[in-house]
Amino acid sequence: MNNFWSVTASLLEGFWVTCAIFAVTLVLALPLGLIIAFGAMSSFKPVKAVVKVFIWVIRGTPLMLQLLVVYYGPALIFHWDLMPRFIATIVAFVINYACYFAEIYRGGIESISKGQREAGQVLGMTKTQIFFKVILLQVVKRIVPPMSNEIITLVKDTSLARIILVEELLKAAQEFTAWGLMWPLFYTGVFYLLFVGILTLVFRGIEKKLDYFRS
Amino acid sequence: MKKIFAVLMSAALALTVAFGVAACGKGDTLRVGYTIYPPMNYTDEQGNFVGFDTELALETGKILGKEIEFVEIVWDNKIFDLNTGNIDIVWNGMTITDELKENMEISEPYLENRQVVVCQTSEAEKYKTKDDLVKASEIIVEKGSAGASAVGATSAADKIRTADAQKDTLLEVKTSASKIAVIDYLMAQVIVGEGTDYSDLTFVDVGFEDEQFGIGFKKGNTELCEQVNNAIKTLKEKGKFAEIQAKYYG
C-alpha cells in the first residue's frame, strides 16, 4: 500500500477529479462571467444594483463557506435531498469564479477609451458592431494577464472541495497522512506545479498570438 | 592571554546557549496535542476548556511536576506534530491500532471503547448487525480512525467516505449526505440524541469489537511514555481517575 507507484496511482485518481473540477468550472464560468459583467455595467439601475450586491456577497465570503452552504444548506434549511457532491462543487466554483471573471471583463471593457466608441458611432457602426469589431479584440488582449492569474489560482482552489468530502488530489494524499505516511502530501506539490507549468506555457502562447495592435 | 580569554568567553557563550535551548525545549512544560472531541477535549458553555482527557492530562501534569500546555492539532498530522516536536503527547481519545503502534510509542490502554453506528432515529431499525451496513448507500467515517478500520474489515468497505474529524460525520448523517456514520461509542453517547444539536440522530451497537484508548508519544520516547503510565496508575489507585470518569460518563 505504501510504495511509490501505488501512492502515485491513488493520487492520480484524485488528480483526475481536480482536473475535472478545473475544466468544468472554467468552461462554465468564462461565459457566465461575461453575462454578470454586462449586468454590472447595465444602465438599468435595479439590475446593476442587484448584480453589484451579488458580486459583493460572493467575493466577500470564503469559497470554502460557499461550498458548505451550497452542499449542506438546502438539506438543513428546506430538508431537500442533497445534490451529488461533484455537482455542488461545480455550482459553488462556477458562481465564485464567474464573479471574479466579471470584474476582470468589466475592467477590460471600461479601459477602452470612449473616443473609440464615439469614432465608431461617427462611422455609422451599430452598438453591436462597435463591441465585437472594435472593443472586444482589445479587451481580450488586455485581460489575458489578470485572467491567467485567476485561472492559475483556480487550479489550487480545487483543493477546497475537500471540505464537502470530494476526493480531489489533496484529500487523496491526506488519506495517507492519516495513517502516518507524510511524503504523499508533499508529493502533491509536483502535480500542481506541473499543471500550472503547462498553463503558464499556454498563456505565454496566447499572449504571443494576441500580439496585434502594438502600441 | 587574549586567546585564552576568547576561548573561555566562547565556551561560556556556548554553554549559555545550550542551557537556554535545553530550558526552552524540554523545560517544565509538556505540550499536549488535541482536537475538539467531546467529551474528551472541548470547551463548555462557560468557555472553559474541559473534558475527560483534558482533566486527566492536567492531573498527570501535577504528578509529573510539569505544566501542561494544550495545542490544537489537525488529527491527520498528529504523527508529524510529534516528530517535529510541535507537541510531546497526543492525548485525544486515540484508539490503539497496529498502524499507530508502528509510528509512535503508545501508553498502556486507559479506557475501553467500541465503534457504533450513528443514523437517523427513523432508520435505526435497519441496522442490527455488521452485515446490515451494506444497506447504507454511503458510510462516513473519520479518516485514519478506528471506525475507518472497523468498516474497512466488513463487506461494506466500498461504501466508505472519509471526513476530517468524527464531529464532521454527524452533519453528513443529519443531512442524509451519508446514511450512517461509524464513530466511537464514548463520543456517540454524549453527542447525539435528545438535548443535543443532533436530536434526530441515534446510535446502534452492531457488534464491533472492543477497543482501547491510548496516549501517544514520539517514536522512541519510551521515558515519557513510562512516566505517564505510572502517573495514570497512581491516579487510578487514588480514585481520581474514577472521579473524572463519573463526571463525564455519569
Side-chain angles (χ1 to χ4, degrees):
Chain A
M1 182 74 179
N2 295 353
N3 74 60
F4 181 76
W5 295 113
S6 65
V7 168
T8 305
S10 166
L11 292 190
L12 274 173
E13 263 176 54
F15 187 56
W16 164 240
V17 176
T18 292
C19 291
I21 298 172
F22 172 83
V24 178
T25 301
L26 198 57
V27 167
L28 296 178
L30 284 173
L32 183 63
L34 197 57
I35 295 170
I36 295 176
F38 286 135
M41 291 183 295
S42 172
S43 47
F44 185 54
K45 286 276 158 59
V47 170
K48 185 172 174 165
V50 168
V51 172
K52 290 271 183 188
V53 168
F54 183 73
I55 292 178
W56 170 62
V57 170
I58 296 299
R59 293 203 308 173
T61 53
L63 179 50
M64 196 181 260
L65 183 62
Q66 291 164 17
L67 281 161
L68 288 169
V69 168
V70 169
Y71 186 55
Y72 293 117
L76 285 177
I77 301 164
F78 307 111
H79 300 283
W80 292 351
D81 286 342
L82 289 161
M83 54 185 132
R85 291 171 206 272
F86 185 77
I87 304 293
T89 308
I90 294 300
V91 170
F93 269 81
V94 167
I95 292 174
N96 186 282
Y97 271 81
C99 284
Y100 282 96
F101 289 164
E103 289 294 280
I104 295 176
Y105 291 145
R106 190 174 65 84
I109 293 169
E110 288 179 350
S111 75
I112 307 298
S113 69
K114 217 169 147 194
Q116 298 201 23
R117 229 175 278 257
E118 286 165 356
Q121 280 167 347
V122 169
L123 291 172
M125 293 168 85
T126 65
K127 261 191 158 177
T128 329
Q129 278 177 325
I130 294 172
F131 182 76
F132 283 103
K133 301 207 159 150
V134 181
I135 312 284
L136 191 63
L137 287 171
Q138 302 177 70
V139 168
V140 169
K141 183 175 148 68
R142 285 188 191 181
I143 65 173
V144 167
M147 285 300 273
S148 53
N149 230 350
E150 211 51 56
I151 289 167
I152 284 172
T153 305
L154 172 59
V155 175
K156 293 161 293 172
D157 270 1
T158 54
S159 61
L160 290 172
R162 59 190 295 285
I163 197 72
I164 55 170
L165 313 186
V166 173
E167 301 289 335
E168 47 74 44
L169 179 53
L170 206 63
K171 186 158 189 296
Q174 281 181 322
E175 294 294 327
F176 294 103
T177 332
W179 297 112
L181 207 60
M182 294 295 155
W183 63 266
L185 192 58
F186 303 108
Y187 180 30
T188 60
V190 175
F191 290 78
Y192 288 113
L193 277 174
L194 279 178
F195 196 165
V196 171
I198 293 168
L199 278 180
T200 308
L201 291 178
V202 169
F203 286 124
R204 190 182 296 168
I206 292 176
E207 279 188 42
K208 266 207 181 125
K209 264 248 162 80
L210 293 177
D211 209 8
Y212 47 75
F213 311 139
R214 280 220 105 147
S215 49
Chain B
M1 189 63 202
K2 233 180 186 175
K3 249 184 191 166
I4 296 170
F5 185 68
V7 169
L8 276 176
M9 281 303 280
S10 24
L13 188 68
L15 272 176
T16 318
V17 171
F19 275 119
V21 168
C24 298
K26 300 257 189 292
D28 296 326
T29 309
L30 284 177
R31 291 166 65 85
V32 174
Y34 74 96
T35 63
I36 295 294
Y37 172 30
M40 306 319 259
N41 306 90
Y42 64 102
T43 308
D44 67 10
E45 283 98 24
Q46 285 82 45
N48 302 314
F49 185 61
V50 294
F52 181 87
D53 278 354
T54 307
E55 292 201 20
L56 202 56
L58 287 171
E59 290 299 327
T60 303
K62 279 184 201 164
I63 291 180
L64 300 181
K66 306 239 180 178
E67 284 278 321
I68 298 292
E69 185 188 340
F70 290 99
V71 180
E72 188 162 11
I73 58 167
V74 175
W75 191 240
D76 289 351
N77 300 346
K78 56 187 176 293
I79 298 164
F80 195 55
D81 284 324
L82 282 175
N83 290 344
T84 55
N86 183 29
I87 55 173
D88 301 304
I89 306 181
V90 178
W91 200 332
N92 194 210
M94 180 177 74
T95 305
I96 303 174
T97 64
D98 290 337
E99 288 94 348
L100 284 176
K101 275 189 199 159
E102 277 173 34
N103 293 298
M104 57 168 86
E105 298 298 330
I106 300 182
S107 71
E108 299 285 325
Y110 67 98
L111 207 61
E112 295 279 327
N113 181 40
R114 67 181 178 280
Q115 299 301 310
V116 292
V117 167
V118 173
C119 61
Q120 302 208 342
T121 311
S122 55
E123 297 216 305
E125 288 294 302
K126 277 169 74 178
Y127 307 102
K128 293 214 156 61
T129 69
K130 281 195 250 181
D131 295 330
D132 295 331
L133 293 183
V134 288
K135 290 181 188 164
S137 50
E138 210 168 71
I139 303 172
I140 184 88
V141 294
E142 178 189 291
K143 67 166 91 81
S145 69
S149 308
V151 180
T154 70
S155 52
D158 58 329
K159 309 254 170 115
I160 290 182
R161 186 171 283 272
T162 58
D164 278 354
Q166 294 201 55
K167 62 175 165 41
D168 298 340
T169 64
L170 300 169
L171 177 60
E172 284 275 311
V173 179
K174 190 180 168 77
T175 56
S176 270
S178 299
K179 288 296 172 199
I180 58 176
V182 175
I183 65 169
D184 293 342
Y185 164 73
L186 289 173
M187 182 179 191
Q189 196 190 15
V190 295
I191 209 167
V192 303
E194 271 175 52
T196 70
D197 281 349
Y198 303 101
S199 53
D200 43 352
L201 305 185
T202 189
F203 68 90
V204 234
D205 200 331
V206 294
F208 283 118
E209 280 164 35
D210 281 346
E211 299 161 353
Q212 285 151 334
F213 276 180
I215 304 153
F217 310 87
K218 184 178 175 178
K219 188 87 191 164
N221 194 354
T222 46
E223 190 191 336
L224 184 58
C225 184
E226 258 332 288
Q227 286 173 357
V228 172
N229 273 338
N230 291 334
I232 288 186
K233 220 165 135 193
T234 314
L235 288 173
K236 282 191 170 167
E237 283 163 9
K238 286 203 301 196
K240 191 75 197 170
F241 189 92
E243 196 181 298
I244 299 173
Q245 198 166 17
K247 192 166 158 190
Y248 291 96
Y249 292 106

